PDB file of all heavy atoms in Angstrom:
ATOM      1  N   ARG A 895     -21.533 -11.099 -24.335  1.00 92.00           N
ATOM      2  CA  ARG A 895     -22.199 -10.184 -23.404  1.00 92.00           C
ATOM      3  C   ARG A 895     -21.277  -9.020 -23.021  1.00 92.00           C
ATOM      4  O   ARG A 895     -21.691  -7.853 -23.019  1.00 92.00           O
ATOM      5  CB  ARG A 895     -22.638 -10.947 -22.155  1.00 92.00           C
ATOM      6  CG  ARG A 895     -23.261 -10.071 -21.067  1.00 92.00           C
ATOM      7  CD  ARG A 895     -24.554  -9.406 -21.539  1.00 92.00           C
ATOM      8  NE  ARG A 895     -25.147  -8.601 -20.514  1.00 92.00           N
ATOM      9  CZ  ARG A 895     -25.994  -9.062 -19.584  1.00 92.00           C
ATOM     10  NH1 ARG A 895     -26.335 -10.351 -19.572  1.00 92.00           N
ATOM     11  NH2 ARG A 895     -26.512  -8.268 -18.696  1.00 92.00           N
ATOM     12  N   CYS A 896     -20.033  -9.327 -22.721  1.00 94.00           N
ATOM     13  CA  CYS A 896     -19.093  -8.262 -22.355  1.00 94.00           C
ATOM     14  C   CYS A 896     -18.797  -7.357 -23.548  1.00 94.00           C
ATOM     15  O   CYS A 896     -18.683  -6.135 -23.391  1.00 94.00           O
ATOM     16  CB  CYS A 896     -17.802  -8.859 -21.803  1.00 94.00           C
ATOM     17  SG  CYS A 896     -17.969  -9.565 -20.141  1.00 94.00           S
ATOM     18  N   ALA A 897     -18.669  -7.948 -24.731  1.00 94.00           N
ATOM     19  CA  ALA A 897     -18.431  -7.140 -25.929  1.00 94.00           C
ATOM     20  C   ALA A 897     -19.604  -6.195 -26.175  1.00 94.00           C
ATOM     21  O   ALA A 897     -19.419  -5.020 -26.521  1.00 94.00           O
ATOM     22  CB  ALA A 897     -18.219  -8.048 -27.134  1.00 94.00           C
ATOM     23  N   ASP A 898     -20.821  -6.691 -25.970  1.00 93.00           N
ATOM     24  CA  ASP A 898     -22.002  -5.865 -26.161  1.00 93.00           C
ATOM     25  C   ASP A 898     -22.061  -4.755 -25.112  1.00 93.00           C
ATOM     26  O   ASP A 898     -22.426  -3.613 -25.418  1.00 93.00           O
ATOM     27  CB  ASP A 898     -23.255  -6.744 -26.082  1.00 93.00           C
ATOM     28  CG  ASP A 898     -24.504  -5.996 -26.499  1.00 93.00           C
ATOM     29  OD1 ASP A 898     -24.536  -5.470 -27.629  1.00 93.00           O
ATOM     30  OD2 ASP A 898     -25.445  -5.924 -25.695  1.00 93.00           O
ATOM     31  N   ASP A 899     -21.693  -5.074 -23.881  1.00 93.00           N
ATOM     32  CA  ASP A 899     -21.650  -4.047 -22.829  1.00 93.00           C
ATOM     33  C   ASP A 899     -20.647  -2.953 -23.173  1.00 93.00           C
ATOM     34  O   ASP A 899     -20.903  -1.764 -22.928  1.00 93.00           O
ATOM     35  CB  ASP A 899     -21.279  -4.685 -21.486  1.00 93.00           C
ATOM     36  CG  ASP A 899     -22.429  -5.471 -20.870  1.00 93.00           C
ATOM     37  OD1 ASP A 899     -23.576  -5.306 -21.336  1.00 93.00           O
ATOM     38  OD2 ASP A 899     -22.175  -6.247 -19.939  1.00 93.00           O
ATOM     39  N   LEU A 900     -19.513  -3.343 -23.726  1.00 94.00           N
ATOM     40  CA  LEU A 900     -18.505  -2.361 -24.118  1.00 94.00           C
ATOM     41  C   LEU A 900     -19.072  -1.396 -25.161  1.00 94.00           C
ATOM     42  O   LEU A 900     -18.946  -0.167 -25.028  1.00 94.00           O
ATOM     43  CB  LEU A 900     -17.274  -3.074 -24.679  1.00 94.00           C
ATOM     44  CG  LEU A 900     -16.213  -2.194 -25.334  1.00 94.00           C
ATOM     45  CD1 LEU A 900     -15.625  -1.215 -24.333  1.00 94.00           C
ATOM     46  CD2 LEU A 900     -15.114  -3.063 -25.942  1.00 94.00           C
ATOM     47  N   LEU A 901     -19.707  -1.934 -26.185  1.00 93.00           N
ATOM     48  CA  LEU A 901     -20.285  -1.084 -27.230  1.00 93.00           C
ATOM     49  C   LEU A 901     -21.375  -0.179 -26.660  1.00 93.00           C
ATOM     50  O   LEU A 901     -21.473   0.998 -27.021  1.00 93.00           O
ATOM     51  CB  LEU A 901     -20.850  -1.954 -28.350  1.00 93.00           C
ATOM     52  CG  LEU A 901     -19.824  -2.781 -29.137  1.00 93.00           C
ATOM     53  CD1 LEU A 901     -20.535  -3.670 -30.146  1.00 93.00           C
ATOM     54  CD2 LEU A 901     -18.817  -1.883 -29.828  1.00 93.00           C
ATOM     55  N   ARG A 902     -22.191  -0.711 -25.771  1.00 91.00           N
ATOM     56  CA  ARG A 902     -23.275   0.079 -25.171  1.00 91.00           C
ATOM     57  C   ARG A 902     -22.718   1.244 -24.365  1.00 91.00           C
ATOM     58  O   ARG A 902     -23.217   2.375 -24.462  1.00 91.00           O
ATOM     59  CB  ARG A 902     -24.127  -0.834 -24.284  1.00 91.00           C
ATOM     60  CG  ARG A 902     -25.220  -0.101 -23.511  1.00 91.00           C
ATOM     61  CD  ARG A 902     -26.022  -1.064 -22.657  1.00 91.00           C
ATOM     62  NE  ARG A 902     -25.188  -1.846 -21.774  1.00 91.00           N
ATOM     63  CZ  ARG A 902     -24.695  -1.401 -20.616  1.00 91.00           C
ATOM     64  NH1 ARG A 902     -24.943  -0.136 -20.226  1.00 91.00           N
ATOM     65  NH2 ARG A 902     -23.952  -2.178 -19.849  1.00 91.00           N
ATOM     66  N   LEU A 903     -21.683   0.979 -23.585  1.00 93.00           N
ATOM     67  CA  LEU A 903     -21.089   2.035 -22.761  1.00 93.00           C
ATOM     68  C   LEU A 903     -20.427   3.110 -23.621  1.00 93.00           C
ATOM     69  O   LEU A 903     -20.495   4.299 -23.304  1.00 93.00           O
ATOM     70  CB  LEU A 903     -20.069   1.420 -21.798  1.00 93.00           C
ATOM     71  CG  LEU A 903     -20.657   0.581 -20.661  1.00 93.00           C
ATOM     72  CD1 LEU A 903     -19.580  -0.256 -19.987  1.00 93.00           C
ATOM     73  CD2 LEU A 903     -21.352   1.469 -19.634  1.00 93.00           C
ATOM     74  N   VAL A 904     -19.791   2.686 -24.714  1.00 92.00           N
ATOM     75  CA  VAL A 904     -19.161   3.663 -25.602  1.00 92.00           C
ATOM     76  C   VAL A 904     -20.213   4.537 -26.277  1.00 92.00           C
ATOM     77  O   VAL A 904     -20.051   5.755 -26.395  1.00 92.00           O
ATOM     78  CB  VAL A 904     -18.289   2.946 -26.652  1.00 92.00           C
ATOM     79  CG1 VAL A 904     -17.801   3.932 -27.709  1.00 92.00           C
ATOM     80  CG2 VAL A 904     -17.098   2.269 -25.986  1.00 92.00           C
ATOM     81  N   ARG A 905     -21.305   3.933 -26.697  1.00 89.00           N
ATOM     82  CA  ARG A 905     -22.373   4.717 -27.335  1.00 89.00           C
ATOM     83  C   ARG A 905     -22.942   5.759 -26.372  1.00 89.00           C
ATOM     84  O   ARG A 905     -23.338   6.853 -26.789  1.00 89.00           O
ATOM     85  CB  ARG A 905     -23.489   3.783 -27.797  1.00 89.00           C
ATOM     86  CG  ARG A 905     -23.118   2.841 -28.932  1.00 89.00           C
ATOM     87  CD  ARG A 905     -24.343   2.118 -29.466  1.00 89.00           C
ATOM     88  NE  ARG A 905     -23.990   1.061 -30.373  1.00 89.00           N
ATOM     89  CZ  ARG A 905     -24.018  -0.231 -30.070  1.00 89.00           C
ATOM     90  NH1 ARG A 905     -24.403  -0.622 -28.860  1.00 89.00           N
ATOM     91  NH2 ARG A 905     -23.671  -1.144 -30.967  1.00 89.00           N
ATOM     92  N   ALA A 906     -22.968   5.413 -25.094  1.00 89.00           N
ATOM     93  CA  ALA A 906     -23.559   6.318 -24.103  1.00 89.00           C
ATOM     94  C   ALA A 906     -22.584   7.381 -23.613  1.00 89.00           C
ATOM     95  O   ALA A 906     -22.978   8.292 -22.880  1.00 89.00           O
ATOM     96  CB  ALA A 906     -24.075   5.505 -22.916  1.00 89.00           C
ATOM     97  N   ALA A 907     -21.314   7.288 -24.022  1.00 87.00           N
ATOM     98  CA  ALA A 907     -20.293   8.218 -23.524  1.00 87.00           C
ATOM     99  C   ALA A 907     -20.283   9.484 -24.367  1.00 87.00           C
ATOM    100  O   ALA A 907     -19.388   9.711 -25.193  1.00 87.00           O
ATOM    101  CB  ALA A 907     -18.925   7.535 -23.550  1.00 87.00           C
ATOM    102  N   ASP A 908     -21.241  10.339 -24.160  1.00 81.00           N
ATOM    103  CA  ASP A 908     -21.401  11.530 -24.998  1.00 81.00           C
ATOM    104  C   ASP A 908     -20.247  12.518 -24.860  1.00 81.00           C
ATOM    105  O   ASP A 908     -20.024  13.340 -25.749  1.00 81.00           O
ATOM    106  CB  ASP A 908     -22.721  12.237 -24.659  1.00 81.00           C
ATOM    107  CG  ASP A 908     -23.928  11.388 -25.047  1.00 81.00           C
ATOM    108  OD1 ASP A 908     -23.781  10.588 -25.990  1.00 81.00           O
ATOM    109  OD2 ASP A 908     -24.980  11.515 -24.409  1.00 81.00           O
ATOM    110  N   GLY A 909     -19.506  12.448 -23.767  1.00 83.00           N
ATOM    111  CA  GLY A 909     -18.410  13.391 -23.584  1.00 83.00           C
ATOM    112  C   GLY A 909     -17.145  13.031 -24.332  1.00 83.00           C
ATOM    113  O   GLY A 909     -16.168  13.779 -24.288  1.00 83.00           O
ATOM    114  N   HIS A 910     -17.145  11.908 -25.027  1.00 91.00           N
ATOM    115  CA  HIS A 910     -15.943  11.448 -25.705  1.00 91.00           C
ATOM    116  C   HIS A 910     -16.041  11.661 -27.221  1.00 91.00           C
ATOM    117  O   HIS A 910     -17.059  11.340 -27.832  1.00 91.00           O
ATOM    118  CB  HIS A 910     -15.704   9.963 -25.426  1.00 91.00           C
ATOM    119  CG  HIS A 910     -15.149   9.700 -24.055  1.00 91.00           C
ATOM    120  ND1 HIS A 910     -15.922   9.831 -22.928  1.00 91.00           N
ATOM    121  CD2 HIS A 910     -13.905   9.333 -23.644  1.00 91.00           C
ATOM    122  CE1 HIS A 910     -15.165   9.537 -21.860  1.00 91.00           C
ATOM    123  NE2 HIS A 910     -13.946   9.243 -22.276  1.00 91.00           N
ATOM    124  N   ASP A 911     -14.955  12.178 -27.788  1.00 91.00           N
ATOM    125  CA  ASP A 911     -14.878  12.314 -29.235  1.00 91.00           C
ATOM    126  C   ASP A 911     -14.353  11.036 -29.884  1.00 91.00           C
ATOM    127  O   ASP A 911     -14.686  10.742 -31.032  1.00 91.00           O
ATOM    128  CB  ASP A 911     -13.941  13.475 -29.614  1.00 91.00           C
ATOM    129  CG  ASP A 911     -14.420  14.804 -29.053  1.00 91.00           C
ATOM    130  OD1 ASP A 911     -15.645  15.050 -29.091  1.00 91.00           O
ATOM    131  OD2 ASP A 911     -13.577  15.570 -28.560  1.00 91.00           O
ATOM    132  N   ARG A 912     -13.508  10.288 -29.156  1.00 93.00           N
ATOM    133  CA  ARG A 912     -12.887   9.102 -29.737  1.00 93.00           C
ATOM    134  C   ARG A 912     -12.627   8.066 -28.641  1.00 93.00           C
ATOM    135  O   ARG A 912     -12.047   8.377 -27.607  1.00 93.00           O
ATOM    136  CB  ARG A 912     -11.567   9.484 -30.414  1.00 93.00           C
ATOM    137  CG  ARG A 912     -10.769   8.322 -30.998  1.00 93.00           C
ATOM    138  CD  ARG A 912      -9.417   8.826 -31.503  1.00 93.00           C
ATOM    139  NE  ARG A 912      -8.543   7.739 -31.917  1.00 93.00           N
ATOM    140  CZ  ARG A 912      -8.454   7.274 -33.157  1.00 93.00           C
ATOM    141  NH1 ARG A 912      -9.193   7.820 -34.119  1.00 93.00           N
ATOM    142  NH2 ARG A 912      -7.623   6.292 -33.458  1.00 93.00           N
ATOM    143  N   VAL A 913     -13.060   6.831 -28.899  1.00 94.00           N
ATOM    144  CA  VAL A 913     -12.727   5.695 -28.047  1.00 94.00           C
ATOM    145  C   VAL A 913     -12.132   4.633 -28.961  1.00 94.00           C
ATOM    146  O   VAL A 913     -12.827   4.051 -29.794  1.00 94.00           O
ATOM    147  CB  VAL A 913     -13.954   5.131 -27.306  1.00 94.00           C
ATOM    148  CG1 VAL A 913     -13.550   3.904 -26.489  1.00 94.00           C
ATOM    149  CG2 VAL A 913     -14.578   6.188 -26.401  1.00 94.00           C
ATOM    150  N   GLU A 914     -10.842   4.408 -28.805  1.00 94.00           N
ATOM    151  CA  GLU A 914     -10.156   3.405 -29.627  1.00 94.00           C
ATOM    152  C   GLU A 914     -10.085   2.097 -28.850  1.00 94.00           C
ATOM    153  O   GLU A 914      -9.656   2.062 -27.703  1.00 94.00           O
ATOM    154  CB  GLU A 914      -8.745   3.869 -29.983  1.00 94.00           C
ATOM    155  CG  GLU A 914      -7.976   2.852 -30.821  1.00 94.00           C
ATOM    156  CD  GLU A 914      -6.569   3.296 -31.148  1.00 94.00           C
ATOM    157  OE1 GLU A 914      -6.230   4.467 -30.822  1.00 94.00           O
ATOM    158  OE2 GLU A 914      -5.802   2.493 -31.693  1.00 94.00           O
ATOM    159  N   VAL A 915     -10.517   1.015 -29.481  1.00 94.00           N
ATOM    160  CA  VAL A 915     -10.479  -0.302 -28.864  1.00 94.00           C
ATOM    161  C   VAL A 915      -9.473  -1.153 -29.627  1.00 94.00           C
ATOM    162  O   VAL A 915      -9.663  -1.444 -30.811  1.00 94.00           O
ATOM    163  CB  VAL A 915     -11.867  -0.975 -28.870  1.00 94.00           C
ATOM    164  CG1 VAL A 915     -11.780  -2.376 -28.263  1.00 94.00           C
ATOM    165  CG2 VAL A 915     -12.883  -0.129 -28.100  1.00 94.00           C
ATOM    166  N   CYS A 916      -8.398  -1.523 -28.953  1.00 94.00           N
ATOM    167  CA  CYS A 916      -7.374  -2.385 -29.540  1.00 94.00           C
ATOM    168  C   CYS A 916      -7.744  -3.833 -29.231  1.00 94.00           C
ATOM    169  O   CYS A 916      -7.910  -4.199 -28.065  1.00 94.00           O
ATOM    170  CB  CYS A 916      -5.999  -2.073 -28.976  1.00 94.00           C
ATOM    171  SG  CYS A 916      -5.496  -0.350 -29.174  1.00 94.00           S
ATOM    172  N   CYS A 917      -7.875  -4.642 -30.255  1.00 92.00           N
ATOM    173  CA  CYS A 917      -8.341  -6.005 -30.043  1.00 92.00           C
ATOM    174  C   CYS A 917      -7.673  -6.969 -31.019  1.00 92.00           C
ATOM    175  O   CYS A 917      -7.056  -6.546 -32.005  1.00 92.00           O
ATOM    176  CB  CYS A 917      -9.859  -6.079 -30.173  1.00 92.00           C
ATOM    177  SG  CYS A 917     -10.537  -5.272 -31.631  1.00 92.00           S
ATOM    178  N   GLU A 918      -7.800  -8.247 -30.735  1.00 91.00           N
ATOM    179  CA  GLU A 918      -7.284  -9.265 -31.625  1.00 91.00           C
ATOM    180  C   GLU A 918      -8.347  -9.653 -32.641  1.00 91.00           C
ATOM    181  O   GLU A 918      -9.506  -9.254 -32.535  1.00 91.00           O
ATOM    182  CB  GLU A 918      -6.806 -10.472 -30.822  1.00 91.00           C
ATOM    183  CG  GLU A 918      -5.588 -10.122 -29.964  1.00 91.00           C
ATOM    184  CD  GLU A 918      -5.144 -11.259 -29.085  1.00 91.00           C
ATOM    185  OE1 GLU A 918      -5.969 -12.161 -28.825  1.00 91.00           O
ATOM    186  OE2 GLU A 918      -3.984 -11.242 -28.648  1.00 91.00           O
TER     187      GLU A 918
END
Side-chain angles (χ1 to χ4, degrees):
R895 176 63 179 273
C896 287
D898 190 57
D899 285 346
L900 171 62
L901 295 176
R902 175 180 54 80
L903 289 166
V904 171
R905 293 189 190 104
D908 293 332
H910 284 72
D911 300 319
R912 177 186 173 93
V913 177
E914 179 181 353
V915 178
C916 304
C917 48
E918 293 176 339

